[in-house]
Amino acid sequence: MFKTRQAILAASTFLFATVFCPLSQAEEPEATTQTDDVATKVAREACGTPIETFRENVADEARKAGVSEHAIDELKKATIDQKVIDRDNGQAIFNLTFAEFSKRVIPEARLKKGKENLQKYSDVFAKAEEKYGVPGPVIAAFWGLETDYGAVQGNFDTLNALFTLSHDCRRPELFRPQLIALLKLFDQGVVNAETTGAWAGEIGQMQLLPKDYLERGVDGDGDGKIDLKGSVADAVMTAAHMLSDLGWRRGEPWLEEVRLTRDDLPWQEAIRQNRKPHSQWTSWGVTGINGPLGPDNGDASLMLPMGRKGPAFLAYDNFDIFVEWNKSIVYATTVAYFASRLAGAPAFDIGHPEPGLNTEEMKQLQQKLADRGYDMGKVDGVYGILTRDAVRTEQLRLGLPADSWPTKELLDRL
C-alpha cells in the first residue's frame, strides 16, 4: 500500500528535502501486483512521446477516471519544467551520515519551535492521538522536517511538476497516478491549478502527494474544507490519519537510544528487520542510556547508523512507519530521533565512529562489490540497502566486525 508515497521521497524547498531521489538504493524492495504492472506499462509507453501526444494520452485516462473537462482544460496548460528534472537528478544529500544529516536538519531553533507548537496546538495533537493513536511528537517531527512547521512549503507549480515527471521516462509509473489525482482535486475544488509545492508534487504543510491528499485528507478544524496548506488542524489530523493507515501501533515505542558495553557483540545481528526481545540484547551487552533496558516493549532491532563505534538505537515496530513515510533510512532515523527529542529524550551520544567513505570512495566500493557478483543496482555512491547488505557479508568473509559500516579498511581489503 502507499506504493507511490513510499517511492517518492518527501521533498520541500529545504536543502535536505529537495534532493531526495525517488526509487533510490536507499529504498527497500516492494511487492508488485498485476494492476501495478498494467499501470507501469501504460505510463512507460506514453512517457517521452511528443508533448501534445502525451497530453492527450493523459487526458484520455483522466476522462476514464471521471475527471471533468474543466480540469482537463487545466491539463492543456501544463508545461515541462526543466528545473524539476534538474532537481530530480540531484543526489548529494544521500551522502551525509546520520550525524551530519540530523545536525543539519534539527538545529536547536527547530527543536524549540517544535516544543512550542506542541503546546500551542495541544488540543489538535490530543485529538489526533485520541482518534488515530499517533503521539503529537511524531506528527510534529514530520511537520518540522518537511516544511519547518508550514513555513516553507515549496514554490514549484504542482501541475507542471507532475506533468514533467510523468512525461519523463525515469519513473513515470510513480508520478502519472499523482497527476490524475491532482486533476481530481481540481474537480473537487480542494486545490486549484495555481497550487504550488515541492518539486516532486507534494502539497501542504506535511508535503503529501495528491493521492494521499485526495484519499486521506481530514477536515481537522471543521470548516467544511480540507486545507493542508493553510490549516494546521487539517494538516496534523491528515498526517495522523496517514501514519495510522501505514500501520502505527497505538501506545508503542518507536526508537530508543542505547549503549553497547561489549566489543564482541555479534554485530551481524544489527539489522533493522532482525527484532529480538530486550533479554536477548541485554545478554549481548546492550543497555539503556541510564541503566539496564526496561521491560520488553515488543521486540526491537539494533540500529547502528554509523557502525559499532557510533550512535546506537533500538528500533521497534513503529519505526517501520517512519520508513514507510520515507524510504531513506537516514531520513527515517532522523525524523524518529527528532520525535524522541520532542518527547523529552536527550541528544544522542555520537561516540567515536570510524570515518566513512566519501562519494568517490563509495562508488569504488560499490564497483568492487559488483565485480564480486553483488547486485548493486546503480553504482551511484549512495549508501543504501544493497550496499549495506553486501558490506556486511564481506565483513563476515574477511573476519571484520560485521556492523555494515563501510570503511577505508574494507575498501582496501576488497
Side-chain angles (χ1 to χ4, degrees), residues 217-229:
V218 178
D219 177 11
D221 55 20
D223 66 353
K225 301 182 296 183
I226 301 175
D227 178 10
L228 301 189
K229 290 177 72 71

Side-chain angles (χ1 to χ4, degrees), residues 392-411:
R392 182 172 59 253
T393 301
E394 284 300 297
Q395 287 173 326
L396 283 169
R397 183 182 69 83
L398 293 169
L400 299 171
D403 61 359
S404 305
W405 182 239
T407 63
K408 187 68 162 52
E409 179 184 5
L410 175 64
L411 177 62

